[in-house]
Amino acid sequence: MTTADVHTARMDDICSGAGDDGRVVRDLLEHLGDKWTLLVVGMLEDGPIRYSELKNRVPGISQRMLTLTLKKLERDGLVRRESFAEIPPRVEYDLTPLGHTLLPPALAFATWARGSSAEILARRAEFDARVTR
């Protein structure tokens, strides 16, 4: 069995092993791999943070997208939201134990993306030059 065969078998097991035709894996990949989620998770690594500070730390995110992203993460059990009965009201977000388990693969992906970005951009430029002729 070749390395490619082993990888294909592993992906088959991962994607269909849950008996749901891979729906859960696809769903999680869709929203964990979106434009903002891993950035938000990364900003929560060091502990609880207020909403306004989180918005300032994630460059370019709108209030609406931050709110939607946090709600998705809270729904999945990756983020905990805590409201404090103060004036003015204070809300903090923190990673749950499950959320902390997402940090190593997220960091590995971010490291790979940063290290591969120059080559990927060069390949895109080559492809675009070929396709637009």
Side-chain angles (χ1 to χ4, degrees):
M1 188 177 248
T2 68
T3 302
D5 292 335
V6 171
H7 287 254
T8 300
R10 273 187 73 202
M11 287 306 293
D12 283 346
D13 287 345
I14 290 168
C15 292
S16 61
D20 64 357
D21 296 324
R23 273 181 260 133
V24 172
V25 172
R26 286 192 310 273
D27 178 58
L28 286 170
L29 285 173
E30 181 180 336
H31 80 261
L32 292 177
D34 72 12
K35 186 175 180 177
W36 303 111
T37 300
L38 293 181
L39 291 172
V40 170
V41 168
M43 294 301 163
L44 293 170
E45 178 179 14
D46 293 328
I49 187 170
R50 292 179 74 158
Y51 180 92
S52 57
E53 179 63 24
L54 189 55
K55 183 168 180 335
N56 290 336
R57 288 189 186 185
V58 181
I61 195 167
S62 69
Q63 184 171 335
R64 180 178 187 278
M65 283 311 302
L66 179 57
T67 299
L68 290 173
T69 300
L70 288 166
K71 282 184 180 186
K72 284 191 308 184
L73 289 167
E74 186 179 6
R75 180 175 181 245
D76 287 339
L78 301 171
V79 166
R80 176 187 58 84
R81 179 185 190 271
E82 187 172 0
S83 297
F84 298 89
E86 300 174 350
I87 299 189
R90 178 169 56 109
V91 177
E92 289 184 346
Y93 293 88
D94 194 13
L95 290 177
T96 64
L98 181 61
H100 278 281
T101 67
L102 181 57
L103 288 170
L107 181 58
F109 175 75
T111 301
W112 173 85
R114 186 172 187 123
S116 302
S117 62
E119 184 174 349
I120 290 169
L121 291 173
R123 299 291 177 248
R124 286 179 182 176
E126 289 172 12
F127 178 87
D128 292 347
R130 275 194 329 266
V131 172
T132 57
R133 286 187 210 170

